[in-house]
Amino acid sequence: MSFNTFGKLFRFTTWGESHGPALGCTVDGVPPMLDLSEADIQKYLDERKPGQSKYTTQRREPDAVKILSGVFEGKTTGTPIQLMIENVDQRSKDYGNIAETYRPGHADYTYTTKYGIRDYRGGGRSSARETAARVAAGAVARKALGEGIKIRAGMVQMGSHKIDRDRLDWDEVRKNPFFCPDPVTAEEWATELEAIRKAGSSIGAVVEVVAEGVPAGWGAPIYSKLDADLASGLMSINAAKGVEIGEGMNAACLTGEENADEMHPGPDGKPVFGANHAGGILGGISTGQPIVARFSVKPTSSILTPRKSVSSSGESIDVVTKGRHDPCVGIRAVPIAEAMMAIVLADHMMLHRAQCG
Amino acid sequence: MSFNTFGKLFRFTTWGESHGPALGCTVDGVPPMLDLSEADIQKYLDERKPGQSKYTTQRREPDAVKILSGVFEGKTTGTPIQLMIENVDQRSKDYGNIAETYRPGHADYTYTTKYGIRDYRGGGRSSARETAARVAAGAVARKALGEGIKIRAGMVQMGSHKIDRDRLDWDEVRKNPFFCPDPVTAEEWATELEAIRKAGSSIGAVVEVVAEGVPAGWGAPIYSKLDADLASGLMSINAAKGVEIGEGMNAACLTGEENADEMHPGPDGKPVFGANHAGGILGGISTGQPIVARFSVKPTSSILTPRKSVSSSGESIDVVTKGRHDPCVGIRAVPIAEAMMAIVLADHMMLHRAQCG
Amino acid sequence: MSFNTFGKLFRFTTWGESHGPALGCTVDGVPPMLDLSEADIQKYLDERKPGQSKYTTQRREPDAVKILSGVFEGKTTGTPIQLMIENVDQRSKDYGNIAETYRPGHADYTYTTKYGIRDYRGGGRSSARETAARVAAGAVARKALGEGIKIRAGMVQMGSHKIDRDRLDWDEVRKNPFFCPDPVTAEEWATELEAIRKAGSSIGAVVEVVAEGVPAGWGAPIYSKLDADLASGLMSINAAKGVEIGEGMNAACLTGEENADEMHPGPDGKPVFGANHAGGILGGISTGQPIVARFSVKPTSSILTPRKSVSSSGESIDVVTKGRHDPCVGIRAVPIAEAMMAIVLADHMMLHRAQCG
Amino acid sequence: MSFNTFGKLFRFTTWGESHGPALGCTVDGVPPMLDLSEADIQKYLDERKPGQSKYTTQRREPDAVKILSGVFEGKTTGTPIQLMIENVDQRSKDYGNIAETYRPGHADYTYTTKYGIRDYRGGGRSSARETAARVAAGAVARKALGEGIKIRAGMVQMGSHKIDRDRLDWDEVRKNPFFCPDPVTAEEWATELEAIRKAGSSIGAVVEVVAEGVPAGWGAPIYSKLDADLASGLMSINAAKGVEIGEGMNAACLTGEENADEMHPGPDGKPVFGANHAGGILGGISTGQPIVARFSVKPTSSILTPRKSVSSSGESIDVVTKGRHDPCVGIRAVPIAEAMMAIVLADHMMLHRAQCG
């Protein structure tokens, strides 16, 4: 119910602004007796943190996480886990006229209209820095899920340029600066994005996230469907504009014959599916196949080309964004996608256990 | 939190199975002193009910709603409103071997695996009959929103065949059996769907829903973003596989320059936007522009062509679905889309009022 | 979160007014595969229903429950269970001037002030008829808890007259019209209450409810403590004004030495407690001892002696309540107390299982 | 829903252990544009902090609060407010055999049984240090409520010794070390408690909290009744064993005639009440009279007299608690009571505004 809380049983609440002293999250409902250290969390934060390549913002944030509660002698205790990340690089002490400017495509106008006030420094609460807290919470969720569930995401489209599915190899994801599961496409993107970056422009992307090892039976109809909770979780990521499960929007184009995931008797009594158009979810409940979700990320609105806007006093102005920005924010959305998948699954694992034993 | 409840302040809880004695919903948190009659609700149920054209299932359900509580002398009292719809046409007393069959693309296997039991008659709880309750709740939400907010949906794509946006006219929607806002395309679909229907096949679709008149400032970051709640609400509709806000998945293909919704000073001091790629939402908060959402609907899995599946005892079987089914379930999803939009907006109207006065 | 919903995982939502066509509840989150019939529920409703003795209102309501969903072939399916009770005896078609009268001690004034409207017939939503729905939900909760947990309530005080704890015998509760666990006191109360009833007066009471067989470890600090949830659940019962756990308000009078529940090694490795001042709960978590709660019930405000009040138009009036009323509403609160205890425990059983496996 | 979260719209989530590096809370849903500084919060923390008199534990904690988010240029922004308090005085580096000891009356046994682990240092999460976070959240709630609502608490009973209601003067509360509204009784308690303290014993207490200025109409039947939410909130305070509204448990002893709060026409059209047995709440909704609640606090279990207990390995042991403890924990419960009242009221102010405008 709380605006800044996600999840039902495995729940986290994030707090903090881009240029405040710190940000973080409280992870509540975590099963006890899980091994958890700051290093377990830090490795995921390091993947998301800025400045990893020339394609991401050059803001220098170590994003060092501290566990302030809920862990004792290296194990979770079942009490709330507070994870805090201090903001270090708040370089631009001079915010120029940003306080009076509504940047197109940003949340400046909507926050100000809603609340009558906004922390304009670096986007305040609407900044994607908030997602660091999600990645931290996601690391805890992975611990709750255990080793049997493998969650992997990658960027599968940049602009109109999609990966070649025949070359898809999830092991490639950590080998290029795009988290791209297709190394050939990754090289092509490098050229393309460098041009975009130099032009002070930006480009959208699609991120795909897959969870393997999820048993059949997780999810809870009707309004806590696994796909509905994933849709909510992924759409809440900054810049997301569309969410797909399995065939996604393309399901519209299929016939019933094409879309059917036929079932066959499997060796262990469980059915084996002939296809996975459903993305691993039927009726809101997992089928035992991989859970497959995708979401689009819009191009960042921070570009060099002047765009028309209005000031807070209602004057027409030109907005030009100089400085440190991601030409393709889809890249850094990859670790966030994994985190949100892990969190949704951990929540549903617990919900299922609660009701069905 | 409850599995069968949607919404935070304006909340409804649905109950009922396809072939049980009745289904319905409890709508809680409704503002008092709203005029509300059964007729106010019935008109929306009549749009969704089966048998309206040859393109929808021929099951004959009057879907007559009864208000059992929460309304006194024609006005809402602020107490929970119980809306009940009795099931009348539960024709198929002989369910054949459906109890032992896991139909591909249906929730038979997942419900049984999760719960160890399922009401197999007509799909039980996983049947789209549940959506009648949503439509009823949506009618109440419209009352809460008032006349100033106009919510309209239509089918904008059937198979790969999209409407021509140059011909889009929302006033056309109630004039053809497809809820299609483009009359020319509607005629073409008629021919196409008739062929699909006769072949015992089915086809997917895309539904678009637009809300006009929503003021800037509704929505609540981070995890109750207006778009995240819409994504959850629309993805929870039976057969939905993808959800889009504004540019949706296509946002991936755009540059920052293309995607920018420039702002200009408006006559009343409020900014006027030059475009609406954002679909009326920035940072999870409404901009004052129309809210634009879309979702894909997969083709129904109930087709005449045999599909391979397994029985509950693990045998390989062929599944063929005869009888009364929608060749394109996207058609009847249109009133449901409007209902879910109304419910999300009513909830956020109240949430905004609570926090910001 | 919803106003008319109680519980986190095992949840029920009640609806209905005293003189509307029906009332009921949706019970959501119920574990699947539990045996459940209308008779299983009816037996508890029969205990609460009016007209069981001359000490309770003579309104004649059969309180016959119908299961409308969520049960298939005698077993729960994991989907929401709708329980409906039709109102039959809505005798007083002439409501006199009750619409314009704010009766002292009733919710007439507060409902009208809050909502600007109220269903005044029989108290509308504020009537204790709502508690029938709780008793029905409680019957489902008992099924979820299983046979190992025994929940029993009784009236332990009427006016200032308390039972003699030396004579306390829970098996006596169903043998007298007061649900009194002390047969001698019950006889004395009979004389006392008959005099009160004849005088058109009323009297308060204390109800105690005890749950045996609850294992150590249920409950969830800090804000879902077992005692906090019991306090909320019991205080929500009509006319309740105080709630106690274990020593309750008397804990104020004790020293640390007196209040200590000493622990001794038990035969099975679990500790044995030397006393139960704590009422079976420490730190919000069950100790394995019986859970002991009590609540006071105020005297009904419906009395023959005129009381000063105001009309809805602000005039001074005298209020006299004739007709069918309970001289001691504590009696019928006993089955409700058991139901609320069962519901809180079922919820915490599931919450514990979710987090701790 | 979250275990460590309280409230529906005005919500706070606490975290932290007694001897961890810090504790705090996230306050979410706060109205924007409220003036808020650390000093506004600190003044209430200073009232609760230990070491204020010889009657409270001599642990030296400055309890200095830091605002880490949600406030910009001295005003709330509508985003989550993180309040952090560092733990400074964690003196007892040597925890002796506390790790293996289940102290009677403490949560040692229940936490360990539930979670399989506990942070035993200073009671860990079950320590009353958690209440510092509540007091901080309460300070924010007071800001949301505004000046018109006055919330005052005091200790009204220590052991069996109650204040003299004829001498009750809320202005006396801050003038003695007991937060006692009756100065004569406060002096008598001083002698009594000094004896108890020197004997290494402890004693229970009753705290009363009163809110004046609450308009009629706040509260939401049936399961978010103002009294039910107060009951939950007050019972969640460490050591609370009973909660009363208005007449409380004594309501059992009254007749309908005695208990009636007669109403008379008031000068401004609103009714004037002749008494307040109801404690300002009818049907779960405020009447406009003062809201009056009380709760009992058990004597702390940390006493010098040996008590029998068991070790974690099941051995019989004697427990003696030396060191810094409160002989009457009721004293420090007073600021907590005010905080919980403020939080419940702020939540219901917002809930009422949401539904009823």
Side-chain angles (χ1 to χ4, degrees):
Chain A
M1 163 65 234
S2 187
F3 302 143
N4 292 281
T5 299
F6 187 83
K8 296 177 186 71
L9 287 178
F10 185 99
R11 282 170 79 94
F12 71 100
T13 303
T14 72
W15 56 272
E17 277 83 33
S18 174
H19 284 57
L23 60 88
C25 64
T26 312
V27 192
D28 199 4
V30 180
M33 298 295 282
L34 303 174
D35 292 319
L36 185 70
S37 69
E38 290 169 352
D40 290 331
I41 301 167
Q42 194 62 49
K43 67 179 174 188
Y44 296 105
L45 284 169
D46 287 348
E47 292 185 345
R48 193 213 70 100
K49 77 178 178 190
Q52 298 299 88
S53 79
K54 62 182 169 182
Y55 306 116
T56 61
T57 172
Q58 298 305 304
R59 179 171 171 170
R60 293 287 168 191
E61 285 291 352
D63 278 355
V65 70
K66 287 182 193 168
I67 298 175
L68 295 184
S69 67
V71 175
F72 183 61
E73 297 181 344
K75 290 189 189 301
T76 59
T77 61
T79 62
I81 300 172
Q82 179 63 224
L83 305 174
M84 187 172 76
I85 297 162
E86 290 179 67
N87 287 321
V88 173
D89 180 5
Q90 308 149 30
R91 185 162 51 177
S92 43
K93 284 287 184 283
D94 174 14
Y95 294 100
N97 61 351
I98 194 172
E100 291 81 37
T101 302
Y102 296 147
R103 295 168 296 165
H106 280 94
D108 301 337
Y109 172 65
T110 54
Y111 268 66
T112 305
T113 304
K114 181 176 189 69
Y115 297 120
I117 184 175
R118 80 176 195 274
D119 180 347
Y120 51 77
R121 301 166 304 164
R125 182 67 181 153
S126 70
S127 163
R129 266 200 76 61
E130 187 269 348
T131 59
R134 305 182 189 222
V135 171
V140 182
R142 285 179 197 255
K143 287 282 180 171
L145 289 170
E147 299 289 324
I149 291 179
K150 197 164 189 176
I151 296 169
R152 296 187 292 192
M155 209 165 91
V156 296
Q157 181 180 336
M158 190 183 80
S160 301
H161 189 163
K162 299 181 182 185
I163 62 163
D164 182 336
R165 292 268 161 183
D166 291 338
R167 287 193 300 252
L168 189 148
D169 178 356
W170 288 109
D171 291 335
E172 289 291 326
V173 160
R174 263 66 188 174
K175 298 180 183 164
N176 62 70
F178 299 97
F179 295 106
C180 179
D182 166 5
V184 178
T185 297
E187 284 189 39
E188 295 161 354
W189 286 352
T191 309
E192 292 165 25
L193 193 57
E194 181 63 9
I196 289 168
R197 189 181 71 82
K198 286 191 172 160
S201 182
S202 66
I203 191 76
V206 174
V207 172
E208 181 167 306
V209 55
V210 177
E212 293 169 278
V214 177
W218 291 8
I222 302 290
Y223 299 105
S224 294
K225 283 177 172 169
L226 196 49
D227 33 2
D229 283 359
L230 280 171
S232 170
L234 297 176
M235 193 67 96
S236 75
I237 297 175
N238 302 49
K241 298 304 288 184
V243 176
E244 300 188 317
I245 305 294
E247 284 288 337
M249 296 306 293
N250 189 51
C253 303
L254 302 181
T255 64
E257 291 78 10
E258 292 164 339
N259 190 58
D261 296 329
E262 292 188 307
M263 300 163 79
H264 306 280
D268 60 352
K270 292 181 190 169
V272 171
F273 290 85
N276 191 12
H277 299 284
I281 304 173
L282 285 174
I285 301 171
S286 61
T287 63
Q289 291 189 281
I291 310 288
V292 181
R294 274 179 307 283
F295 61 101
S296 65
V297 178
K298 70 176 183 183
T300 182
S301 309
S302 302
I303 51 176
L304 267 180
T305 306
R307 294 285 106 182
K308 286 286 172 200
S309 191
V310 296
S311 69
S312 58
S313 56
E315 308 291 306
S316 182
I317 53 175
D318 279 329
V319 173
V320 176
T321 310
K322 294 172 187 164
R324 313 172 294 175
H325 290 284
D326 294 85
C328 179
V329 287
I331 297 172
R332 289 173 61 212
V334 168
I336 307 165
E338 293 185 355
M340 295 308 289
M341 174 66 86
I343 288 161
V344 169
L345 290 177
D347 199 24
H348 275 281
M349 175 189 70
M350 291 170 68
L351 287 167
H352 180 68
R353 188 159 65 191
Q355 188 180 16
C356 298
Chain B
M1 161 66 235
S2 188
F3 302 143
N4 292 280
T5 298
F6 186 84
K8 296 177 186 70
L9 287 177
F10 186 99
R11 281 170 81 94
F12 71 100
T13 304
T14 73
W15 55 272
E17 276 82 33
S18 174
H19 284 57
L23 59 87
C25 64
T26 311
V27 192
D28 200 4
V30 180
M33 298 296 282
L34 304 174
D35 292 318
L36 186 69
S37 69
E38 289 169 353
D40 290 332
I41 301 166
Q42 194 62 48
K43 66 180 176 189
Y44 296 106
L45 284 169
D46 288 348
E47 291 185 345
R48 193 214 70 100
K49 78 177 176 190
Q52 297 300 86
S53 79
K54 63 182 169 183
Y55 306 116
T56 60
T57 170
Q58 297 305 304
R59 178 170 171 172
R60 293 285 169 191
E61 285 291 352
D63 278 357
V65 70
K66 287 182 192 167
I67 299 176
L68 295 184
S69 67
V71 176
F72 184 60
E73 297 181 344
K75 291 189 189 302
T76 59
T77 62
T79 62
I81 300 173
Q82 179 62 224
L83 305 174
M84 186 172 76
I85 297 163
E86 290 180 66
N87 287 321
V88 172
D89 180 6
Q90 309 149 28
R91 188 162 49 178
S92 44
K93 287 284 184 282
D94 174 14
Y95 294 99
N97 60 352
I98 194 173
E100 291 81 38
T101 302
Y102 296 146
R103 294 168 297 164
H106 280 94
D108 301 337
Y109 172 65
T110 55
Y111 268 66
T112 305
T113 304
K114 181 176 189 69
Y115 297 119
I117 185 175
R118 80 178 196 274
D119 180 347
Y120 51 78
R121 302 166 304 163
R125 182 68 182 154
S126 70
S127 164
R129 264 200 78 61
E130 187 269 348
T131 59
R134 306 181 189 222
V135 171
V140 182
R142 286 180 198 255
K143 287 281 179 172
L145 290 170
E147 299 289 323
I149 292 179
K150 198 164 189 175
I151 297 169
R152 295 187 293 193
M155 209 165 92
V156 296
Q157 180 178 338
M158 190 183 79
S160 301
H161 189 162
K162 299 182 182 185
I163 61 164
D164 182 336
R165 292 267 161 185
D166 292 337
R167 288 192 300 252
L168 188 149
D169 178 356
W170 287 110
D171 291 334
E172 289 292 325
V173 160
R174 263 66 187 174
K175 297 181 185 163
N176 63 69
F178 299 97
F179 296 106
C180 178
D182 166 3
V184 179
T185 298
E187 284 189 40
E188 295 162 354
W189 285 352
T191 309
E192 292 165 25
L193 192 57
E194 181 62 9
I196 289 167
R197 188 181 70 82
K198 285 192 174 161
S201 182
S202 66
I203 190 75
V206 173
V207 173
E208 180 166 307
V209 54
V210 177
E212 294 169 278
V214 177
W218 291 8
I222 302 291
Y223 299 105
S224 295
K225 283 177 172 169
L226 196 49
D227 35 1
D229 283 358
L230 280 171
S232 169
L234 297 176
M235 193 66 96
S236 74
I237 297 175
N238 303 50
K241 298 305 289 184
V243 176
E244 300 189 316
I245 304 294
E247 284 288 338
M249 296 306 294
N250 188 52
C253 303
L254 302 181
T255 64
E257 291 78 8
E258 292 164 338
N259 190 57
D261 297 328
E262 292 187 309
M263 300 163 78
H264 308 280
D268 60 351
K270 292 181 191 170
V272 171
F273 289 85
N276 190 13
H277 299 285
I281 303 173
L282 285 174
I285 301 172
S286 60
T287 63
Q289 290 190 281
I291 310 288
V292 181
R294 272 178 309 282
F295 61 101
S296 64
V297 179
K298 70 176 182 183
T300 181
S301 310
S302 302
I303 52 175
L304 268 181
T305 306
R307 294 285 105 182
K308 286 288 173 199
S309 189
V310 295
S311 69
S312 57
S313 57
E315 308 292 305
S316 182
I317 53 175
D318 279 330
V319 173
V320 176
T321 309
K322 294 171 186 165
R324 311 172 296 174
H325 289 285
D326 293 87
C328 178
V329 287
I331 298 173
R332 289 173 62 210
V334 169
I336 307 165
E338 292 185 355
M340 296 308 290
M341 174 66 85
I343 288 160
V344 169
L345 290 177
D347 199 25
H348 275 283
M349 175 188 71
M350 292 170 67
L351 288 166
H352 180 67
R353 188 159 67 192
Q355 188 180 16
C356 298
Chain C
M1 161 65 233
S2 187
F3 302 144
N4 292 280
T5 298
F6 187 84
K8 295 178 186 70
L9 287 177
F10 185 99
R11 281 170 80 94
F12 71 100
T13 304
T14 72
W15 56 272
E17 277 82 33
S18 174
H19 283 58
L23 60 87
C25 63
T26 312
V27 192
D28 200 4
V30 180
M33 298 295 282
L34 303 174
D35 292 319
L36 186 69
S37 69
E38 289 170 353
D40 290 332
I41 301 166
Q42 194 62 48
K43 67 180 175 188
Y44 296 106
L45 284 169
D46 287 347
E47 291 185 346
R48 193 214 71 101
K49 78 178 176 189
Q52 297 300 87
S53 79
K54 63 182 170 184
Y55 306 117
T56 60
T57 171
Q58 297 305 304
R59 178 171 172 173
R60 293 287 168 190
E61 285 292 353
D63 278 357
V65 70
K66 288 182 193 167
I67 299 175
L68 295 183
S69 67
V71 176
F72 184 61
E73 297 181 344
K75 290 190 189 300
T76 60
T77 62
T79 62
I81 299 174
Q82 178 62 224
L83 304 175
M84 185 172 76
I85 297 162
E86 291 180 65
N87 287 321
V88 172
D89 180 6
Q90 309 150 30
R91 186 162 51 176
S92 43
K93 286 284 183 283
D94 174 14
Y95 295 99
N97 61 352
I98 194 174
E100 291 81 38
T101 303
Y102 296 146
R103 295 167 297 164
H106 281 95
D108 302 336
Y109 172 65
T110 54
Y111 269 65
T112 305
T113 303
K114 180 176 190 69
Y115 297 120
I117 185 175
R118 79 177 196 275
D119 180 347
Y120 51 78
R121 302 167 303 165
R125 181 69 181 153
S126 70
S127 164
R129 266 201 76 62
E130 187 268 350
T131 59
R134 307 181 189 222
V135 171
V140 182
R142 285 179 198 256
K143 287 282 179 171
L145 289 170
E147 300 289 323
I149 292 178
K150 197 164 190 175
I151 297 169
R152 296 186 294 192
M155 208 165 92
V156 297
Q157 182 178 337
M158 189 182 81
S160 301
H161 189 163
K162 300 181 182 184
I163 61 164
D164 182 337
R165 292 268 160 183
D166 291 339
R167 287 192 300 252
L168 189 148
D169 178 356
W170 287 109
D171 291 335
E172 289 292 325
V173 160
R174 264 66 187 174
K175 297 181 184 163
N176 63 69
F178 299 97
F179 295 105
C180 179
D182 165 4
V184 179
T185 298
E187 283 189 39
E188 294 162 355
W189 286 352
T191 308
E192 293 164 24
L193 192 57
E194 182 62 10
I196 289 167
R197 188 181 70 81
K198 286 192 173 159
S201 182
S202 65
I203 191 76
V206 173
V207 173
E208 180 166 307
V209 55
V210 177
E212 294 168 278
V214 177
W218 291 7
I222 301 289
Y223 298 106
S224 294
K225 283 177 172 169
L226 195 50
D227 34 1
D229 283 359
L230 279 171
S232 169
L234 297 176
M235 193 65 97
S236 75
I237 297 174
N238 302 50
K241 298 304 289 183
V243 176
E244 301 189 316
I245 305 294
E247 284 288 338
M249 296 306 293
N250 189 53
C253 303
L254 302 181
T255 63
E257 290 77 10
E258 291 165 338
N259 189 58
D261 296 328
E262 293 187 308
M263 300 163 79
H264 307 280
D268 60 352
K270 293 181 189 169
V272 171
F273 290 85
N276 190 13
H277 299 284
I281 303 173
L282 285 174
I285 300 171
S286 60
T287 63
Q289 291 190 281
I291 310 288
V292 181
R294 274 178 308 282
F295 61 102
S296 64
V297 179
K298 71 177 181 182
T300 181
S301 309
S302 302
I303 52 175
L304 267 180
T305 306
R307 294 285 105 182
K308 285 287 174 200
S309 190
V310 296
S311 69
S312 58
S313 56
E315 306 293 304
S316 181
I317 54 175
D318 278 331
V319 173
V320 176
T321 310
K322 293 170 186 163
R324 312 172 295 175
H325 290 284
D326 295 86
C328 179
V329 288
I331 298 172
R332 290 174 61 211
V334 168
I336 306 164
E338 293 185 355
M340 295 309 289
M341 174 65 87
I343 287 161
V344 169
L345 290 177
D347 199 26
H348 275 282
M349 176 189 70
M350 291 169 68
L351 288 166
H352 180 67
R353 189 159 66 192
Q355 188 179 16
C356 298
Chain D
M1 164 64 235
S2 187
F3 302 142
N4 292 280
T5 299
F6 186 83
K8 296 177 187 70
L9 287 178
F10 186 98
R11 282 170 79 95
F12 71 100
T13 303
T14 72
W15 56 272
E17 276 83 34
S18 174
H19 284 56
L23 60 88
C25 64
T26 312
V27 192
D28 199 4
V30 180
M33 297 296 281
L34 304 174
D35 292 320
L36 186 68
S37 69
E38 289 169 353
D40 290 331
I41 301 166
Q42 194 63 48
K43 67 180 173 187
Y44 296 105
L45 284 168
D46 287 348
E47 291 185 346
R48 193 214 70 100
K49 77 179 177 188
Q52 298 300 87
S53 78
K54 63 182 171 184
Y55 306 117
T56 60
T57 171
Q58 298 304 304
R59 179 170 170 171
R60 293 286 169 191
E61 285 291 351
D63 279 355
V65 68
K66 288 182 192 167
I67 299 175
L68 295 184
S69 66
V71 176
F72 183 62
E73 297 180 344
K75 291 190 189 300
T76 59
T77 61
T79 62
I81 300 172
Q82 179 63 224
L83 304 174
M84 187 171 76
I85 298 162
E86 291 179 67
N87 287 321
V88 172
D89 180 5
Q90 308 149 31
R91 185 162 50 177
S92 42
K93 287 284 184 282
D94 173 14
Y95 294 99
N97 60 352
I98 194 172
E100 291 81 37
T101 302
Y102 296 147
R103 294 167 298 164
H106 281 95
D108 302 336
Y109 172 65
T110 54
Y111 268 66
T112 305
T113 304
K114 181 176 189 68
Y115 298 120
I117 185 175
R118 80 176 194 275
D119 180 348
Y120 51 78
R121 301 167 304 164
R125 182 69 181 153
S126 70
S127 164
R129 266 200 76 63
E130 187 270 347
T131 60
R134 306 181 190 222
V135 170
V140 182
R142 285 179 198 256
K143 287 280 180 172
L145 289 170
E147 298 289 324
I149 292 179
K150 197 163 189 176
I151 296 169
R152 298 187 292 192
M155 208 165 92
V156 296
Q157 182 179 337
M158 189 183 81
S160 303
H161 190 164
K162 299 181 182 184
I163 62 164
D164 182 336
R165 291 269 160 183
D166 291 337
R167 287 193 300 252
L168 189 148
D169 178 356
W170 288 109
D171 291 336
E172 289 291 326
V173 161
R174 263 65 187 175
K175 297 180 184 164
N176 62 69
F178 299 97
F179 296 105
C180 179
D182 165 5
V184 178
T185 298
E187 284 189 39
E188 295 162 355
W189 287 351
T191 309
E192 293 166 24
L193 193 56
E194 181 62 9
I196 289 168
R197 189 181 71 81
K198 285 190 173 161
S201 182
S202 65
I203 191 75
V206 173
V207 173
E208 180 166 306
V209 55
V210 177
E212 293 168 279
V214 177
W218 291 7
I222 303 289
Y223 299 104
S224 294
K225 283 177 171 169
L226 196 49
D227 33 2
D229 283 359
L230 280 170
S232 169
L234 296 176
M235 193 66 96
S236 74
I237 297 174
N238 303 48
K241 297 305 287 184
V243 176
E244 300 189 316
I245 305 293
E247 283 289 337
M249 296 306 292
N250 189 51
C253 303
L254 303 181
T255 64
E257 291 77 11
E258 292 164 338
N259 190 58
D261 295 328
E262 293 188 307
M263 300 163 79
H264 307 280
D268 59 352
K270 291 182 190 168
V272 171
F273 290 85
N276 190 13
H277 299 284
I281 303 173
L282 285 174
I285 301 171
S286 60
T287 63
Q289 290 189 281
I291 310 288
V292 182
R294 274 179 307 284
F295 61 100
S296 64
V297 179
K298 70 176 182 183
T300 182
S301 309
S302 302
I303 51 176
L304 267 180
T305 306
R307 293 285 105 182
K308 285 286 173 200
S309 190
V310 296
S311 69
S312 58
S313 56
E315 307 292 305
S316 182
I317 54 175
D318 279 329
V319 173
V320 175
T321 310
K322 293 171 186 164
R324 312 172 294 174
H325 290 284
D326 293 86
C328 180
V329 287
I331 298 171
R332 289 173 62 212
V334 169
I336 306 165
E338 293 185 354
M340 295 309 288
M341 174 66 86
I343 288 161
V344 169
L345 290 177
D347 199 25
H348 274 283
M349 175 189 71
M350 291 170 68
L351 288 167
H352 180 67
R353 188 159 66 191
Q355 187 179 17
C356 299

